[in-house]
Structures are given as C-alpha cells and as structure tokens.
Amino acid sequence: MTLEILSRQIADHLVEDKNSSVLELVSYGISSIISFMLNFTIMFVISYLFNTTSELLWLLIFYLPNRAFHKGYHCKKFLECIFFTNLYTFNVYFL
C-alpha cells in the first residue's frame, strides 16, 4: 500500500464531504505527517545502532532547521525521499 493510498483512506474517514478540496488538503497533511514520522524513526534507529543518539539530537536541533530556509532537492517518489533524507542526514552527521 502506498503512502498516498493510506493517507487518502485515513482522510476519507476524517472528512465528511468526500468531494471537497478539504479532503485533498487533509490527505496531503496526513501523508506529510507519516513521512516525517517515518524519516525520524529511521534516523533514531540508525543512531541507536551506532550509539550516537545524542549527536543526532544536536544535529536535528542546530543543522536541520537550516535546510528549511535553503530548500534543496525534492524527490518525486516517497521511497526516494526516505532514502535521500537519511543519506543526507548521516553524511553530514558522520563528517
């Protein structure tokens, strides 16, 4: 099941008017939340395995907010996004 299908099904249960633009907005918000949570779960699992969780927390606090202002590459597929977000984070992290 893809992220879009899952978020659409959840939004269908939350929104009463199935033909409104609100349904699309809620679906997008849910997919963003799931993506965010999955990315951070993967980051914390990897940092736990390397016993470097405190360093990851410092990175998330001080470095990643910088990415919000400077944008960057945006993937077209969800799995690419997960892969490149974690690759980017741990490249900075281990350098």
Side-chain angles (χ1 to χ4, degrees):
M1 177 179 293
T2 66
L3 179 64
E4 291 82 18
I5 294 171
L6 177 63
S7 61
R8 181 63 182 235
Q9 288 177 347
I10 295 170
D12 281 339
H13 289 291
L14 296 175
V15 177
E16 292 178 9
D17 185 10
K18 305 298 183 213
N19 296 323
S20 70
S21 61
V22 174
L23 181 65
E24 293 298 320
L25 185 63
V26 170
S27 177
Y28 176 75
I30 291 170
S31 71
S32 296
I33 290 169
I34 292 171
S35 173
F36 177 81
M37 289 173 27
L38 185 59
N39 269 323
F40 281 96
T41 301
I42 291 170
M43 284 182 207
F44 279 108
V45 167
I46 292 172
S47 69
Y48 179 78
L49 292 175
F50 285 104
N51 198 24
T52 54
T53 307
S54 63
E55 288 88 350
L56 177 66
L57 291 174
W58 286 111
L59 175 75
L60 294 176
I61 291 169
F62 291 108
Y63 184 73
L64 290 185
N66 186 35
R67 288 186 63 203
F69 295 109
H70 296 290
K71 305 298 177 200
Y73 177 73
H74 291 276
C75 299
K76 293 180 180 29
K77 296 182 180 176
F78 175 66
L79 289 177
E80 288 176 7
C81 180
I82 296 290
F83 177 76
F84 283 113
T85 298
N86 285 290
L87 180 68
Y88 175 78
T89 301
F90 285 101
N91 272 335
V92 170
Y93 182 61
F94 286 118
L95 293 177

